[in-house]
Amino acid sequence: MSNLLENLFGSSPVMPLEQHVNIAYRCTRELIGFIDAALAEDWDKATEVRKTIAALEHEADNLKKEIRLHLPKSLFMPVPREDLLELLLVQDKMANLTKDVSGLVLGRRMVIPKELAANFRVFVQRNVDAAKQARKSVRELDELFTTGFRGAEVKLVTSLIETLDNIETETDDLQASLRRDLFKIEDSLKPVDVIFLYRVIELTGEIANMAERVGRRLELLLSH
Amino acid sequence: MEHEIIYVSLAAAFGIFMAWGIGANDVANAMATSVGSKALTIKQAILVAAVFEFLGAVLAGGAVTSTIRKGIVDANQLADSPELLIYGMLAALLAAGTWLLIASSKGWPVSTTHSIVGAIVGFAAVGIGVDAVKWSKVGTIVLSWIVSPLTAGLIAFLIFESVRRLILQQENPLEKAKKFVPFYIFLAAFTMTLVTILKGLSHVGLTISVKDSYLLAAAIATLVALIGAFAIRRIQPDPRHEKKQHFYTVERVFAVLMVVTACSMAFAHGSNDVANAIGPVAAIISVAKNGLVGEKAALSNWVLFLGGAGIVTGLATYGRHVIRTVGEKITQLTPSRGFAAELAAATTIVIASGTGIPISTTHTLVGAVLGVGLARGIEAIDLRVVGRIVVSWVVTIPAGAGLAIVFFYIFKAVLPAVM
């Protein structure tokens, strides 16, 4: 026997979205440990961390499917369903990219040239910071729904997104300087390794880009 | 009246069964909103429901009961054969009870009120004659079934919008909540007591002048608001929970308000829905006792009392489980939203009760929830359910009527004649 009132309330995507961004962030956070292991060429450790990353990415993926499944077209929500699904998608990509980067590095047992090591580590750290700031912003989603996307709460979220944008700009600069450094030494490396190094830098930088797009999506929700 | 005992005991048995069903099922909708928002625990909700359902039934349930009892069927048509009213009302009770049983086993969102009104109209129109139905009154009732959810929705929209502007969107929502919530408490208590005093108490034999009614209602509401304000002042911010949810403490302030609106909701429900079970019983008793369709016969208070007791029994035996399961599912209805829905629904229902119009409390509450939703207050509402409500709304009336007609002819053949 089902009850009218309990059926009237569709399952809300808000808390699941916050959970999802949390898992996605926890996935990207593992990248720091992974890169440390890779820099030290400790491939056993790297394999270990990579397993955690894959598991978290998988968890995020499952939750993504679950959320989509519970968002039928008949749902009436304060914000368009499409915007929430798009937010979910970019959140999920942060985890996907982490998995891609770690897969590439581990698969090729890539050795990061020691000239790049220090800057590369900072670069990864800042990308993870961007994901963390994205999580912080998405965690305000329930408060945004409570206030109807108006008033004091909007100001708070706007400032969180501003910080997120600043971190993303910083990662762009770091990425540019990493590429310059790599360019200087690329003649001394194997061409194939160089190609993949560029690829890893690019993929890692995408994490912050996705985090920034999480911010853009949240902004779109604010404008409703 | 040789067979008086048979009829009265049959009627009482059916009536109590119906009241039990209302207590077991419908009350859950009225109370689950409070449990879902964690304003009340299950135990507190049952206590509140038991007390205020009963008070609502006895203090303000008279007008709707008399509508069901003698407002739908034209008694003048039955002057020569009063026993037809007995068969009919018994049939209506059994039909509505059966239909509710079928519907709830299938999970259809069916209203008790719609079932019983459909059943009474059915037996009267077919068993007695089309003229035996007071169609203008029936028209008013059916119209009110459309108007009441809309009204509740509009009120809920306005209340919630005001909460948002005055409190939630402000820089310091907690401070604002502590300031404004006592006024909402006053509003809730004032509306409930005023309508009860103006419209309900005459049935219990109390008459108070209009001016005194307003003063009395204001005095009671002020007292309730002061108690509320005292409870609110004791609420301190909880930084541990605030970190996760900035509105945690604000919602706790609203939870105080929701205790008041939960009482209102239970009271309103009792005032309107007790009639569905007790109206037909009262009709049967007055015919069986007087041997004629006693339009003037006063409603005995013990019948209302019986209905109230039936509802509370249903609540205690089975309703608590329904409240728990429903309450766990509707956590989206935080106190700041739940109170808006409850206050709007309760106000609409109590006004309808005062006017003697039987409406569906559940549908009115759904209307109120949709109103909060339209104010963008609810994260996700499944519109398919709203569609199902409309369909079941339309199906219930002929279904109740058809069953009542069948039972009517069975009773006519089986039961002994009155005279």
Side-chain angles (χ1 to χ4, degrees):
Chain A
M1 208 173 81
S2 66
N3 178 284
L4 167 63
L5 210 60
E6 77 179 63
N7 293 335
L8 183 66
F9 293 89
S11 46
S12 161
V14 178
M15 287 332 262
L17 271 167
E18 292 189 17
Q19 269 167 26
H20 182 272
V21 81
N22 190 40
I23 297 170
Y25 162 67
R26 277 168 50 214
C27 183
T28 58
R29 193 178 56 186
E30 292 297 324
L31 201 56
I32 299 170
F34 176 84
I35 291 298
D36 282 345
L39 288 171
E41 289 176 59
D42 180 352
W43 297 112
D44 291 339
K45 177 82 196 300
T47 312
E48 198 72 12
V49 182
R50 155 84 184 162
K51 270 188 198 144
T52 316
I53 290 176
L56 284 168
E57 193 272 346
H58 189 65
E59 199 182 323
D61 230 27
N62 283 342
L63 185 56
K64 179 183 76 177
K65 282 179 196 143
E66 188 73 14
I67 294 172
R68 282 180 173 165
L69 217 60
H70 284 105
L71 277 187
K73 281 216 171 98
S74 61
L75 229 47
F76 175 76
M77 292 186 292
V79 290
R81 175 174 166 273
E82 289 71 24
D83 286 352
L84 290 179
L85 289 173
E86 194 64 33
L87 176 66
L88 179 63
L89 197 71
V90 282
Q91 286 179 182
D92 202 57
K93 280 204 173 138
M94 298 195 300
N96 286 348
L97 286 163
T98 308
K99 194 182 161 198
D100 291 349
V101 170
S102 59
L104 200 57
V105 172
L106 186 67
R108 297 182 49 83
R109 297 286 192 269
M110 281 174 73
V111 178
I112 317 277
K114 56 180 179 305
E115 296 92 329
L116 301 182
N119 281 345
F120 187 70
R121 205 186 170 285
V122 174
F123 176 57
V124 170
Q125 177 69 55
R126 285 316 269 167
N127 273 283
V128 173
D129 288 347
K132 189 177 188 179
Q133 184 68 17
R135 174 179 78 158
K136 198 172 177 187
S137 314
V138 174
R139 276 186 169 176
E140 295 298 317
L141 205 56
D142 55 326
E143 281 88 355
L144 280 173
F145 271 82
T146 302
T147 56
F149 297 89
R150 270 191 224 110
E153 180 65 26
V154 170
K155 278 187 210 152
L156 175 69
V157 175
T158 313
S159 79
L160 288 176
I161 295 176
E162 241 166 63
T163 311
L164 175 55
D165 288 346
N166 292 340
I167 299 174
E168 198 274 337
T169 313
E170 213 180 301
T171 63
D172 278 348
D173 296 344
L174 285 168
Q175 187 170 354
S177 92
L178 261 179
R179 272 207 297 256
R180 271 196 306 276
D181 293 348
L182 179 58
F183 176 71
K184 277 181 211 151
I185 59 167
E186 66 181 25
D187 288 343
S188 63
L189 300 166
K190 276 199 292 185
V192 180
D193 284 352
V194 173
I195 290 171
F196 279 101
L197 273 172
Y198 276 120
R199 179 94 187 108
V200 164
I201 292 168
E202 192 190 322
L203 277 177
T204 309
E206 277 297 301
I207 295 175
N209 283 338
M210 284 307 140
E212 193 212 3
R213 274 177 62 187
V214 167
R216 292 285 84 75
R217 282 290 143 190
L218 275 177
E219 263 179 357
L220 265 184
L221 292 179
L222 297 184
S223 68
H224 281 291
Chain B
M1 287 310 291
E2 40 190 315
H3 301 297
E4 187 190 319
I5 300 289
I6 300 179
Y7 295 125
V8 173
S9 30
L10 264 182
F14 288 174
I16 289 175
F17 177 67
M18 189 84 174
W20 182 87
I22 293 169
N25 244 317
D26 283 16
V27 177
N29 291 331
M31 296 315 293
T33 37
S34 307
V35 176
S37 59
K38 298 200 173 63
L40 294 177
T41 65
I42 305 254
K43 272 187 187 158
Q44 291 167 334
I46 289 168
L47 190 70
V48 162
V51 172
F52 284 88
E53 288 275 344
F54 191 81
L55 284 177
V58 176
L59 292 180
V64 188
T65 305
S66 73
T67 301
I68 299 270
R69 177 165 73 119
K70 56 192 183 185
I72 298 171
V73 181
D74 186 357
N76 296 327
Q77 302 274 329
L78 291 164
D80 302 329
S81 47
E83 74 276 8
L84 288 183
L85 191 71
I86 293 185
Y87 303 148
M89 286 297 184
L90 283 175
L93 273 177
L94 198 58
T98 311
W99 174 243
L100 288 173
L101 218 58
I102 297 171
S104 38
S105 71
K106 303 258 182 199
W108 299 333
V110 162
S111 148
T112 323
T113 308
H114 296 180
S115 312
I116 198 82
V117 172
I120 292 175
V121 171
F123 94 75
V126 175
I128 303 170
V130 179
D131 293 341
V133 179
K134 290 182 183 166
W135 290 108
S136 65
K137 185 80 181 178
V138 173
T140 312
I141 292 172
V142 172
L143 195 67
S144 76
W145 292 348
I146 301 168
V147 174
S148 56
L150 293 179
T151 311
L154 181 68
I155 299 175
F157 180 94
L158 294 175
I159 293 175
F160 187 65
E161 201 53 48
S162 74
V163 169
R164 203 164 242 171
R165 274 163 208 263
L166 293 174
I167 300 165
L168 298 176
Q169 289 170 358
Q170 299 292 327
E171 295 281 349
N172 43 2
L174 181 59
E175 216 171 279
K176 298 281 187 211
K178 285 187 167 181
K179 187 171 149 199
F180 286 116
V181 164
F183 290 100
Y184 287 108
I185 295 179
F186 177 86
L187 191 70
F190 183 73
T191 320
M192 291 301 130
T193 36
L194 183 66
V195 177
T196 309
I197 295 167
L198 283 180
K199 301 285 188 176
L201 287 186
S202 58
H203 285 268
V204 207
L206 274 173
T207 33
I208 301 168
S209 79
V210 176
K211 189 177 151 245
D212 287 349
S213 301
Y214 276 92
L215 287 175
L216 183 61
I220 294 174
T222 309
L223 184 69
V224 177
L226 283 175
I227 297 170
F230 180 70
I232 288 166
R233 262 191 35 204
R234 288 177 39 192
I235 295 176
Q236 292 304 320
D238 180 342
R240 199 161 46 91
H241 284 100
E242 294 254 314
K243 209 179 166 202
K244 268 195 187 152
Q245 225 298 345
H246 310 330
F247 290 97
Y248 180 82
T249 312
V250 176
E251 291 291 358
R252 273 174 60 217
V253 175
F254 278 106
V256 175
L257 169 54
M258 214 171 166
V259 173
V260 179
T261 54
C263 298
S264 311
M265 195 63 207
F267 184 86
H269 182 263
S271 73
N272 207 289
D273 281 40
V274 73
N276 295 331
I278 267 357
V281 179
I284 292 166
I285 288 171
S286 79
V287 176
K289 272 204 170 141
N290 308 316
L292 44 88
V293 185
E295 186 124 25
K296 290 191 188 93
L299 171 70
S300 351
N301 275 329
W302 69 266
V303 187
L304 281 173
F305 195 83
L306 192 76
I311 289 183
V312 171
T313 314
L315 175 75
T317 52
Y318 188 77
R320 56 167 74 207
H321 306 295
V322 187
I323 292 178
R324 175 176 289 126
T325 44
V326 178
E328 279 168 2
K329 292 274 173 62
I330 55 171
T331 47
Q332 286 186 49
L333 213 60
T334 53
S336 60
R337 299 137 203 234
F339 106 87
E342 279 190 352
L343 180 55
T347 307
T348 311
I349 295 162
V350 165
I351 290 172
S353 297
T355 333
I357 296 174
I359 60 172
S360 164
T361 48
T362 304
H363 289 190
T364 308
L365 186 59
V366 168
V369 169
L370 288 177
V372 179
L374 277 178
R376 316 202 323 159
I378 291 168
E379 288 154 16
I381 289 177
D382 197 335
L383 288 182
R384 280 178 303 190
V385 178
V386 182
R388 281 209 291 274
I389 293 174
V390 176
V391 173
S392 74
W393 195 111
V394 177
V395 173
T396 292
I397 299 161
L403 283 171
I405 292 163
V406 173
F407 288 133
F408 177 73
Y409 283 114
I410 293 174
F411 285 140
K412 204 174 165 186
V414 173
L415 288 177
V418 176
M419 304 299 157

